[in-house]
Amino acid sequence: AQTVTQSQPEMSVQEAETVTLSCTYDTSESNYYLFWYKQPPSRQMILVIRQEAYKQQNATENRFSVNFQKAAKSFSLKISDSQLGDTAMYFCAFMTPRGGYQKVTFGTGTKLQVIP
Amino acid sequence: GAGVSQSPRYKVAKRGQDVALRCDPISGHVSLFWYQQALGQGPEFLTYFQNEAQLDKSGLPSDRFFAERPEGSVSTLKIQRTQQEDSAVYLCASSSSISGQGARDSPLHFGNGTRLTVT
């Protein structure tokens, strides 16, 4: 079974600063995907960034980037130039394509507050 | 519609009542998932449909939980004889991926969820 651990229940950052959210995971699979999802108060889960385990290059999406350390099973999210709209819950998630469908395992989340 | 639609947005039920939660996925999406999100927790997988076929129901917590998708589009999650521990947000997600193709091409699209409170 796969597990995803987020050890930071809450974090805060000043507007325009940079913040890093931590995530570790455990799996015996060699082929898998990692995700960061954002959940604002509207409750809708929004995909922020995705990383394929076979790719060594870290994924980036505008102000969002990841630090993927496969050997350490670590997958942190860096948010640069934080904006007030980044305030939300952030969930790290894991998925293996075994079975061909997206059964995603989520961590417990980190509540991020961006302070003006 | 443009996104995944769930209704009702809020539901309050007295312990022992039956409830039905509706999910209207993105048109044409063959895969549909239900997740349960308890307060302060991450979503947990309940069940998966490919079209009308329920291929995985391993996450359903008890036989009081039942899901269906009879025509391969709209899905209903039914909870019988609700208990206080059923209080949670129930999220629905859809995807255009098909079993066997893998997951790299189509991320999950989530609805806004239904917040169920059992009193």
Side-chain angles (χ1 to χ4, degrees):
Chain A
Q2 290 79 29
T3 60
V4 178
T5 302
Q6 295 180 250
S7 58
Q8 305 155 314
E10 295 188 25
M11 292 195 72
S12 62
V13 61
Q14 290 290 138
E15 194 175 4
E17 296 296 308
T18 296
V19 64
T20 298
L21 308 184
S22 301
C23 173
T24 58
Y25 61 94
D26 190 25
T27 183
S28 58
E29 300 284 342
S30 58
N31 182 24
Y32 53 87
Y33 301 82
L34 295 162
F35 310 88
W36 279 97
Y37 280 89
K38 171 184 177 181
Q39 188 179 42
S42 68
R43 301 199 301 255
Q44 186 179 28
M45 299 287 279
I46 301 166
L47 180 67
V48 174
I49 199 165
R50 169 171 53 195
Q51 174 81 42
E52 289 91 340
Y54 66 88
K55 289 186 177 180
Q56 293 185 341
Q57 187 173 7
N58 289 325
T60 61
E61 287 287 343
N62 301 313
R63 299 182 295 107
F64 300 88
S65 62
V66 299
N67 183 5
F68 174 46
Q69 301 289 327
K70 191 171 184 178
K73 296 180 180 175
S74 171
F75 183 62
S76 61
L77 174 69
K78 185 171 81 172
I79 305 174
S80 304
D81 185 26
S82 297
Q83 301 176 359
L84 296 179
D86 295 334
T87 293
M89 286 290 294
Y90 285 82
F91 292 94
C92 179
F94 172 100
M95 192 274 297
T96 172
R98 181 191 294 266
Y101 61 92
Q102 302 189 48
K103 185 174 181 178
V104 180
T105 300
F106 290 87
T108 52
T110 296
K111 184 177 182 180
L112 177 66
Q113 180 76 40
V114 179
I115 302 168
Chain B
V4 178
S5 178
Q6 291 188 246
S7 61
R9 187 154 173 78
Y10 300 93
K11 176 69 178 177
V12 178
K14 291 187 177 180
R15 189 163 60 93
Q17 284 184 333
D18 297 349
V19 298
L21 312 180
R22 176 188 170 105
C23 173
D24 201 334
I26 293 173
S27 178
H29 276 193
V30 299
S31 293
L32 186 145
F33 302 79
W34 283 99
Y35 282 82
Q36 180 190 57
Q37 186 177 17
L39 186 64
Q41 300 296 316
E44 293 195 358
F45 172 83
L46 292 177
T47 188
Y48 165 69
F49 288 88
Q50 181 183 312
N51 295 309
E52 70 278 4
Q54 190 175 20
L55 299 186
D56 186 344
K57 53 182 181 180
S58 62
L60 295 177
S62 78
D63 59 8
R64 295 186 296 104
F65 286 70
F66 172 77
E68 61 182 4
R69 194 186 185 197
E71 297 179 0
S73 55
V74 172
S75 177
T76 303
L77 177 66
K78 298 179 179 178
I79 309 173
Q80 297 176 325
R81 305 181 303 282
T82 53
Q83 304 295 314
Q84 284 191 319
E85 61 263 28
D86 300 335
S87 295
V89 172
Y90 291 85
L91 294 168
C92 176
S94 70
S95 168
S96 60
S97 72
I98 297 173
S99 178
Q101 286 189 350
R104 69 166 68 184
D105 299 322
S106 53
L108 294 176
H109 299 264
F110 283 85
N112 288 341
T114 294
R115 181 181 296 280
L116 173 65
T117 302
V118 182
T119 60

